[in-house]
Amino acid sequence: AMIRAKTAEITVSDLSMRVPEPPGCDEITQLARTANKTLARLEAAVEQQRQFASVVSHELRSPVAGLHTQLEEALLYPTDVDPTTTIRTALTTTERLQAIIDDLLVLARIRSAPPQTPEPIDLTTLVTEEITRHTHGTPVHTHTTPHLPVLGNKIQLIGVLNNLLVNAKRHAHTTVEITTTRTTDHAVLTVTDDGDGIAPHDRERVFQPFIRLNDGRRRDPGGTGLGLAICRAVITAHHGTVEIEDSPHGARFVVRLP
């Protein structure tokens, strides 16, 4: 009766409550423990969604407010404001909004869509094919191990590689290096640049949505700040990991896939 009464009190607005767990190991006790574990996971997921919604609102508010002000000034002071300049600036703002919304939709689909049937992919072949599309700008050197089979979504993994490669080329001083290797249980993709690197205390932060370090804002002021968050979401959905590890120089991104 106590478990039933406490369960009835729990709502989406307050998921912090837990049902009482009777002593012992009978079926009722096990059910109560399972229910509390489920509530804990649900509470964490709802809190994550609330924080994400708050961050998204903040990131969209600034460009929308700027766009509103530009258009309002053009109407209030038609003789003082150049309409062509206003339209050009407004167009740039809407393009940034569109880029943010597109990346948010990608992130939402990865996090919420049911998993698709994975296809066999040779990670080294995927890297080799995609590198041929990046012939301009900073040179990219590859060191690959043949035949690295993984299971997954090819389009999403190409997106991860492109995100990491574009990020590395943006921060590199002279070169980018990509390697593929194998361990006992994983295929490993490493993308390393010879830039200024990322401080240890920032290495986890940069995978959060809209987190952009000062150097990143300077080098790519039009970026959405969602690229690395999308990489993390894709690799997590593939039961792998992506981390920033120590490097003698620059930033070293390491992807491990089963």
Side-chain angles (χ1 to χ4, degrees):
M2 292 176 62
I3 293 175
R4 185 169 60 247
K6 182 61 69 174
T7 301
E9 294 179 29
I10 299 171
T11 65
V12 173
S13 60
D14 184 6
L15 293 168
S16 62
M17 290 188 288
R18 300 291 183 266
V19 300
E21 297 182 13
C25 295
D26 60 16
E27 292 183 357
I28 298 299
T29 300
Q30 293 178 22
L31 178 62
R33 289 173 181 167
T34 301
N36 282 335
K37 290 178 181 178
T38 301
L39 285 168
R41 290 195 298 268
L42 183 60
E43 182 184 19
V46 169
E47 181 59 28
Q48 184 184 52
Q49 290 296 328
R50 286 172 177 162
Q51 292 177 357
F52 185 65
S54 175
V55 172
V56 170
S57 298
H58 174 76
E59 290 294 326
L60 292 177
R61 186 179 294 115
S62 293
V64 169
L67 179 61
H68 183 273
T69 299
Q70 294 159 13
L71 297 176
E72 188 176 53
E73 287 180 348
L75 286 176
L76 291 174
Y77 312 105
T79 59
D80 299 327
V81 176
D82 179 17
T84 302
T85 301
T86 299
I87 293 171
R88 186 179 293 114
T89 305
L91 183 60
T92 300
T93 303
T94 55
E95 288 172 348
R96 172 165 174 72
L97 285 168
Q98 184 175 1
I100 292 174
I101 291 169
D102 288 345
D103 278 356
L104 284 172
L105 289 173
V106 170
L107 193 57
R109 290 191 195 103
I110 294 167
R111 287 179 167 179
S112 62
Q116 298 178 338
T117 302
E119 60 178 309
I121 301 164
D122 187 314
L123 186 61
T124 293
T125 300
L126 183 148
V127 168
T128 303
E129 290 176 350
E130 287 306 305
I131 290 303
T132 61
R133 307 177 192 274
H134 292 265
T135 56
H136 301 291
T138 305
V140 179
H141 302 289
T142 59
H143 306 276
T144 58
T145 299
H147 310 304
L148 289 179
V150 298
L151 290 175
N153 182 305
K154 184 175 182 179
I155 298 300
Q156 289 183 354
L157 291 179
I158 288 174
V160 168
L161 174 60
N162 282 326
N163 258 320
L164 294 180
L165 183 53
V166 169
N167 183 73
K169 294 178 76 169
R170 182 184 303 130
H171 293 278
H173 290 160
T174 59
T175 60
V176 172
E177 183 178 282
I178 294 182
T179 66
T180 60
T181 58
R182 64 162 50 87
T183 64
T184 304
D185 300 315
H186 293 92
V188 183
L189 166 68
T190 303
V191 181
T192 308
D193 65 68
D194 64 348
D196 296 330
I198 300 173
H201 62 271
D202 286 325
R203 292 179 183 175
E204 187 62 26
R205 288 181 63 240
V206 296
F207 289 104
Q208 299 174 17
F210 300 114
I211 295 297
R212 305 185 68 209
L213 306 183
N214 290 334
D215 187 53
R217 291 182 182 275
R218 179 177 61 83
R219 294 175 183 270
D220 183 24
T224 65
L226 290 165
L228 292 179
I230 291 173
C231 288
R232 171 65 63 84
V234 168
I235 298 304
T236 299
H238 282 72
H239 308 291
T241 61
V242 54
E243 308 288 346
I244 301 173
E245 299 185 357
D246 290 337
S247 174
H249 53 262
R252 183 171 185 259
F253 287 79
V254 182
V255 175
R256 291 180 173 84
L257 291 167

